[in-house]
Amino acid sequence: MSSKLEAIGIAKRYGDAVALEATDLVVQAGEFLTLLGPSGSGKTTLLQMISGLVAPSAGRIEIDGRDVTHVEPGKRGIGMVFQSYALFPHMSVWDNVAYGLRMRRKSRDEVRAAVDDALSMVRMTEYAKRFPKELSGGQQQRIALARCFAYRPSVILLDEPLGALDKKLREHMQSEIRRLHKELGATFVYVTHDQDEALTLSDRICLMNQARIEQVGTPADLYDRPATRFAAGFIGHSNLLEGALDDARGTSGEPILLAAGGRIPLPINAIGASLAGGASVAPGARHTLLVRPEAPRLVEPERGFVDGTIADVVFFGSDTRVQLAMNDGSELTVRCERSLSPRIGDKVGLVWDPYRTTLLHV
Ligand SMILES: Nc1ncnc2c1ncn2[C@@H]1O[C@H](COP(=O)(O)OP(=O)(O)OP(=O)(O)O)[C@@H](O)[C@H]1O
Ligand SMILES: [Mg+2]
């Protein structure tokens, strides 16, 4: 893969307020990259600087290796789709989709072919003669997508395009967007604050927090190896076990974290001298370990790394979430098979593969 889009030291200030700190980001050709993060983290600001609608305070944007920082939005070869569909109410669906092509002075035949093609892609051919107000929210969003796809931009920017739709329709449109991304072969940069949407859609996720990039990686990277406490907390459910390293090592020489009232082996080779990121292995050093709910297995009390009492059992369809009150007063959430039929008040132990846990750096 080659790089399609690059943000180099791009930054935005409004007076004294920093909307985006100096940021570097590379998006590969044909990639589906999602900007994910809480409200106000700078997602829209970054996207708008890529589009050219917002001028950066510093840094530059390159598309296909060309510096486009001072190129106007319409000449960057970019398509955009926003949360509000902004369809022209007085124009038919067909004319809405044709609008951008006519603006680009395409021939009548070219326009017809491109509009028909785009409408068929979003499966709206039979709605061509309707007006926007005669369409549902999901249908209007399809037309907004068709309007963008019609002139075949090689980069498509989408800012919370499904934000106004209800959950069921949103999930349906997510699979539509995945299909359209494959069909078009274009590079997608997609903004959402919904972690499930980001995990479902993306080749890579760029997690943003407080005007900067927190971590960039595949959905699996972010879920399995979050670099920070923020990343661990933002994606998926996380149990964070905090404690200090014991003086003694485990049977394979691994450091032992004293946390949640137990002795927890850390993910490190027996001979390995340092933890991930060079963190201290000195006895007494404090660490935070991320244990996802699906890692632990319930065992007899005192047979695991930690012990607790089942405080609550929540049914989740395919599995069950068990809430545990640990011996030191902390809480832990564990997913378990329904067949184990855990009961409130039962005392249990927990074990897991240390390599399914992650030591956080910050
Ligand atoms: N035109 C502006 N003038 C002043 N401050 C702005 C302007 N646009 C954005 N900001 C500020 O920059 C920060 C980042 O805003 P941005 O719109 O990029 O956030 P976001 O991640 O897209 O949030 P959301 O999920 O709510 O859309 C916010 O603190 C916002 O208030
Ligand atoms: Mg936004």
Side-chain angles (χ1 to χ4, degrees):
M1 275 211 280
S2 60
S3 100
K4 178 75 192 173
L5 179 75
E6 287 193 42
I8 303 141
I10 201 89
K12 184 67 187 176
R13 299 174 158 276
Y14 292 100
D16 287 344
V18 179
L20 189 71
E21 287 179 16
T23 294
D24 296 317
L25 180 67
V26 178
V27 188
Q28 304 297 330
E31 189 175 23
F32 195 122
L33 181 120
T34 298
L35 306 179
L36 172 69
S39 185
S41 55
K43 307 181 295 294
T44 296
T45 303
L46 177 53
L47 200 75
Q48 299 280 43
M49 290 195 287
I50 295 171
S51 74
L53 291 172
V54 165
S57 310
R60 61 183 205 275
I61 300 288
E62 291 183 2
I63 296 175
D64 293 323
R66 183 170 76 106
D67 188 335
V68 297
T69 317
H70 304 290
V71 174
E72 63 181 80
K75 300 210 166 118
R76 292 189 182 194
I78 281 178
M80 281 175 273
V81 183
F82 301 105
Q83 179 171 353
S84 61
Y85 330 120
L87 300 176
F88 299 114
H90 58 285
M91 283 186 198
S92 70
V93 160
W94 205 93
D95 288 329
N96 263 284
V97 177
Y99 182 80
L101 296 156
R102 288 178 174 146
M103 289 285 285
R104 286 174 173 74
R105 304 195 180 285
K106 301 285 183 196
S107 74
R108 201 176 265 266
D109 286 347
E110 277 178 306
V111 173
R112 186 174 309 122
V115 174
D116 287 346
D117 193 32
L119 284 177
S120 118
M121 257 181 130
V122 299
R123 296 177 177 152
M124 288 291 289
T125 304
E126 61 272 41
Y127 295 84
K129 292 207 175 76
R130 291 213 197 170
F131 285 84
K133 67 171 191 304
E134 297 167 328
L135 301 174
S136 72
Q139 291 167 340
Q140 290 185 46
Q141 193 55 289
R142 279 164 202 265
I143 300 307
L145 290 167
R147 187 177 54 179
C148 166
F149 299 160
Y151 57 93
R152 295 287 170 150
S154 60
V155 176
I156 297 178
L157 309 178
L158 307 101
D159 195 346
E160 310 240 12
L162 309 182
L165 308 179
D166 66 46
K167 188 170 185 293
K168 195 140 191 253
L169 188 52
R170 207 162 66 220
E171 284 170 2
H172 177 68
M173 287 300 292
Q174 284 168 9
S175 56
E176 288 287 283
I177 285 179
R178 273 178 69 86
R179 173 181 67 82
L180 291 165
H181 171 249
K182 288 207 182 75
E183 273 183 48
L184 285 163
T187 306
F188 277 39
V189 184
Y190 189 97
V191 168
T192 183
H193 58 258
D194 179 340
Q195 52 144 317
D196 291 330
E197 189 160 295
L199 291 172
T200 315
L201 288 174
S202 319
D203 293 321
R204 283 190 310 152
I205 296 173
C206 170
L207 182 64
M208 302 190 59
N209 181 33
Q210 295 188 332
R212 45 176 203 81
I213 294 178
E214 188 86 12
Q215 188 173 0
V216 184
T218 63
D221 281 340
L222 266 80
Y223 189 82
D224 295 334
R225 288 172 294 280
T228 63
R229 209 173 256 273
F230 174 84
F234 201 81
I235 296 178
H237 186 93
S238 51
N239 297 297
L240 296 179
L241 277 48
E242 293 176 35
L245 292 187
D246 192 10
D247 295 345
R249 294 287 184 104
T251 47
S252 310
E254 73 280 9
I256 300 289
L257 189 70
L258 302 173
R263 295 174 50 77
I264 301 169
L266 293 182
I268 176 184
N269 296 329
I271 329 137
S274 75
L275 297 170
S280 171
V281 286
R286 294 197 66 82
H287 288 290
T288 302
L289 187 70
L290 167 66
V291 182
R292 294 288 190 196
E294 56 275 18
R297 198 157 47 79
L298 300 187
V299 294
E300 296 290 313
E302 293 175 35
R303 291 283 178 80
F305 304 151
V306 289
D307 280 328
T309 306
I310 297 181
D312 201 6
V313 179
V314 185
F315 175 63
F316 259 93
S318 54
D319 59 25
T320 299
R321 300 279 160 91
V322 177
Q323 207 78 36
L324 292 166
M326 309 312 290
N327 283 351
D328 71 340
S330 61
E331 285 182 0
L332 234 140
T333 302
V334 173
R335 257 165 69 170
C336 81
E337 286 173 38
R338 287 173 63 187
S339 56
L340 288 175
S341 48
R343 282 190 313 267
I344 294 176
D346 282 358
K347 292 203 179 308
V348 295
L350 296 179
V351 289
W352 55 76
D353 173 356
Y355 287 91
R356 291 189 68 187
T357 66
T358 307
L359 208 58
L360 300 181
H361 304 160
V362 219

